[in-house]
Amino acid sequence: MESAVSLNNITVSYNGRAAVSWLTAEIPRGQVTAVVGPNGSGKSTLLKAVLGLLPLQSGTVRVLGLPFYRVRDRVAYVPQKEEVDWHFPLLVWEVVAMGRCLPGSLLRPLSFRDRFLVKRSMQYFGIECLARRPIGELSGGQKQRVFLARAMAREAELYLLDEPFNGVDAATEGIIKRWMRELKENEKTVIVVHHKLNEIYSDFDRAMLLNCRLISYGPVQQALSSDTVQKTYSESMPPVFT
Amino acid sequence: MPYLFELLIEPCLNYEFMRIALLTGLVVGSLCSVLSCFLLIKRWALLGDAISHSVLPGVALSYLLGLPYFVGALFTGLLSSLGIGYLQQETRLKEDASMGIVFTGAFALGVAIISVVRGQVNLFDILFGNILTVTGEDFRLTVVTGVLVLLVIVVFYRAITFWAFDPVGAQVSGIPVKYLHYLMMLMLTATIVASLRTVGIVMVISMLITPGATAYLLTYRLPSMIWLSLFFGNFSAVGGLYFSYYFDLATGAVMVLVATFIFILSLVFSPSQGLIRRMKDNFNPSS
């Protein structure tokens, strides 16, 4: 079976400098992979390149064996919660329902099944009691749960999470980890961008260490050694061109 | 009460221009106020400002060439919205500077052309509108634009909301964000052109910002925000019309003043964000 994400020699520029250079990797299906690196190491850029949001300077990306635009309905993406304006006049369930915006069904109203999935996802993340609350009133952890429930409602095969543990409480962190385990049991693929190293051993199958280029990649035990970690985190940052 | 009723009905019974003005006011009020909600949440309020100024050279050129005014207006309006988009995406300039450059340039061009053809075009009418001179043809144009724009908003409601809230997430989900962007710009330009005769290109900015902003202070839900905005927009349009009829004031300006007055009321009295509520909270920090 083909990989969940296959990166072949990709180079991606962001604001005029190469944020990721000549990266080649196969991320297998049915596993939980962490993409780890310091700030500015190109983690988010890599994620955006996989999602077709940034153009590639070189190389190719295949998602579930196809170009990304052909598998949009099979991919769920959880952006960093800081990326949107939470004062937007929406209720919690309305944001979760956005997960049911699939390429073929943009113009029709929510179906019975859509509503069921939205409700079930909110229950899973413990936010069904907030369903009719304006999103502006939520705490950091609750905002993250809303985004996770939106991704869950999508019923995808590949889940891409951008820094899901940032600024959340312990309870939310526990739920995220439980969800990742369950997704793995159901043979879904999860890729998590993460900047902390300490939890990698227990919660992830594979790790990709990144600092503008691939430092190491493989099963967690092999990918993380004191040598690779030092390389990832202590190497001087490349100059920033403006 | 019967006196108030007479006050409102009489001008419409007696004067054809008043009937057309009232109907046009209702259409323009509805159109602008619905769109204003989406401009506000998308943070495009100033784009309305920029495009409305850029319409001026188009109107002037149309008079010069003997074309219907909306042809030129639509043309330069769209051209400048594309120009703003280009500057913003392809250079280091941000949105504010891009808009400032394009709309002042276009506006200056319009004023220059009008100074050449002085006498045939009334600059004051273009800038501030004159709903009392709206013709049957203008009215039909406004109605067609209004119906089309509102239809598009209803059909694409979910996609537009998603895109406005989370553009990146929407793009990943498969919403054609680029087309949606241009579609919104087209609708905005069309709305401005349709409102040109009624409120004028300076006052339309207010109609495209104030009703939505007023409603935004009062509710947390987009659907109720749209309904409230509709009410405020139409109330301002109709109220402004009658005020200007009885007190002989510039119609567009009075409409805007009514809208601004409602905004101030909601600023003071809004149950969640109003000044009164804030003062109470400050006096009693434990609540």
Side-chain angles (χ1 to χ4, degrees):
Chain A
M1 192 161 67
E2 72 274 5
S3 310
V5 176
S6 122
L7 308 165
N8 186 8
N9 238 338
I10 65 162
T11 302
V12 195
S13 291
Y14 193 70
N15 285 339
R17 74 181 173 95
V20 175
S21 303
W22 309 111
L23 197 152
T24 299
E26 299 283 328
I27 299 175
R29 290 198 195 198
Q31 298 206 324
V32 183
T33 304
V35 179
V36 189
N39 285 334
S41 59
K43 295 167 300 193
S44 287
T45 306
L46 177 65
L47 205 62
K48 290 202 161 82
V50 170
L51 294 168
L53 297 168
L54 290 173
L56 299 176
Q57 248 72 47
S58 75
T60 51
V61 173
R62 285 278 178 281
V63 181
L64 302 168
L66 293 165
F68 176 72
Y69 69 89
R70 291 181 58 187
V71 292
R72 288 182 193 282
D73 49 337
R74 292 155 67 194
V75 177
Y77 167 57
V78 180
Q80 293 188 35
K81 60 183 184 301
E82 290 76 20
E83 278 181 25
V84 302
D85 172 19
W86 290 92
H87 289 298
F88 206 90
L90 284 171
L91 304 181
V92 166
W93 77 266
E94 291 172 318
V95 176
V96 177
M98 285 174 180
R100 299 305 302 161
C101 261
L102 300 165
S105 65
L106 290 176
L107 302 184
R108 61 161 179 74
L110 291 174
S111 67
F112 184 74
R113 198 176 112 79
D114 289 336
R115 285 175 192 280
F116 166 73
L117 288 170
V118 167
K119 197 171 172 206
R120 201 191 58 181
S121 315
M122 286 195 295
Q123 277 165 354
Y124 187 91
F125 287 101
I127 50 170
E128 79 271 30
C129 52
L130 305 173
R132 302 197 61 81
R133 282 274 202 86
I135 57 172
E137 293 177 3
L138 303 179
S139 71
Q142 289 168 334
K143 285 172 187 167
Q144 191 66 63
R145 290 179 195 212
V146 171
F147 266 0
L148 291 162
R150 180 175 82 169
M152 183 182 184
R154 204 166 171 82
E155 297 228 290
E157 290 166 43
L158 170 64
Y159 293 80
L160 298 158
L161 320 183
D162 197 351
E163 304 270 10
F165 300 107
N166 249 8
V168 301
D169 49 292
T172 306
E173 199 174 310
I175 293 187
I176 300 174
K177 287 179 179 169
R178 187 183 71 184
W179 186 46
M180 279 168 29
R181 277 197 299 278
E182 268 177 42
L183 285 174
K184 192 193 165 188
E185 280 160 21
N186 293 318
E187 292 168 356
K188 312 287 186 195
T189 311
V190 185
I191 300 175
V192 181
V193 166
H194 198 47
H195 70 282
K196 277 190 290 183
L197 273 173
N198 43 0
E199 296 136 346
I200 296 288
Y201 284 100
S202 53
D203 298 301
F204 298 93
D205 302 311
R206 299 171 76 84
M208 177 185 287
L209 269 62
L210 210 62
N211 195 345
C212 298
R213 60 193 177 81
L214 193 59
I215 306 283
S216 77
Y217 172 59
V220 171
Q221 316 288 350
Q222 292 169 26
L224 285 178
S225 67
S226 60
D227 183 40
T228 56
V229 170
Q230 201 187 349
K231 256 189 177 167
T232 310
Y233 281 87
S234 67
E235 243 173 39
S236 61
M237 298 288 289
V240 180
F241 301 112
T242 50
Chain B
M1 215 45 198
Y3 176 66
L4 181 68
F5 189 66
E6 240 169 55
L7 218 58
L8 295 180
I9 292 298
E10 204 190 35
C12 293
L13 280 179
N14 291 343
Y15 301 108
E16 165 83 14
F17 75 85
M18 204 51 193
R19 280 196 292 276
I20 294 184
L22 186 66
L23 289 173
T24 321
L26 286 172
V27 178
V28 167
S30 313
L31 181 57
C32 289
S33 50
V34 171
L35 205 59
S36 76
C37 293
F38 291 95
L39 295 183
L40 187 89
I41 57 176
K42 188 68 195 137
R43 298 186 173 186
W44 272 19
L46 282 180
L47 190 65
D49 181 358
I51 295 180
S52 67
H53 280 86
S54 315
V55 156
L56 187 65
V59 177
L61 277 176
S62 307
Y63 279 111
L64 263 185
L65 302 173
L67 293 166
Y69 71 92
F70 60 86
V71 177
L74 206 58
F75 178 72
T76 52
L78 286 176
L79 200 66
S80 62
S81 61
L82 291 179
I84 292 166
Y86 173 83
L87 282 181
Q88 195 186 321
Q89 278 158 21
E90 307 295 330
T91 71
R92 285 172 58 194
L93 293 174
K94 299 285 181 285
E95 204 165 18
D96 47 355
S98 317
M99 289 195 294
I101 293 165
V102 172
F103 94 72
T104 47
F107 193 68
L109 180 66
V111 174
I113 297 175
I114 286 177
S115 68
V116 174
V117 294
R118 206 176 301 149
Q120 298 167 49
V121 197
N122 187 346
L123 184 60
F124 194 81
D125 271 1
I126 302 174
L127 293 186
F128 303 108
N130 192 346
I131 200 171
L132 304 179
T133 61
V134 168
T135 63
E137 195 196 342
D138 296 331
F139 175 63
R140 277 191 292 280
L141 175 74
T142 312
V143 170
V144 170
T145 315
V147 170
L148 282 179
V149 170
L150 294 180
L151 203 67
V152 170
I153 288 180
V154 169
V155 171
F156 290 98
Y157 179 80
R158 271 177 73 205
I160 294 176
T161 324
F162 193 177
W163 168 64
F165 171 63
D166 177 9
V168 174
Q171 191 179 351
V172 171
S173 293
I175 289 174
V177 287
K178 215 161 201 170
Y179 293 118
L180 214 52
H181 185 103
Y182 288 119
L183 186 67
M184 282 289 278
M185 279 197 171
L186 178 66
M187 291 199 297
L188 178 56
T189 314
T191 303
I192 290 168
V193 173
S195 321
L196 206 140
R197 293 301 295 271
T198 329
V199 279
I201 61 181
V202 176
M203 299 303 176
V204 74
I205 303 163
S206 162
M207 296 302 277
L208 281 171
I209 298 177
T210 314
T214 311
Y216 186 64
L217 291 182
L218 297 173
T219 175
Y220 291 111
R221 294 214 57 198
L222 190 54
S224 31
M225 183 174 154
I226 293 172
W227 289 114
L228 278 173
S229 176
L230 260 175
F231 173 73
F232 295 142
N234 281 311
F235 186 84
S236 320
V238 175
L241 180 63
Y242 278 105
F243 261 110
S244 70
Y245 175 83
Y246 282 110
F247 298 99
D248 199 20
L249 298 163
T251 322
V254 182
M255 288 177 173
V256 171
L257 283 176
V258 174
T260 313
F261 180 68
I262 303 175
F263 175 78
I264 293 171
L265 283 185
S266 89
L267 182 69
V268 175
F269 295 107
S270 160
S272 59
Q273 339 225 327
L275 295 177
I276 290 183
R277 166 68 190 265
R278 293 213 169 164
M279 281 198 304
K280 264 190 194 164
D281 287 354
N282 286 347
F283 281 128
N284 188 5
S286 61
S287 69

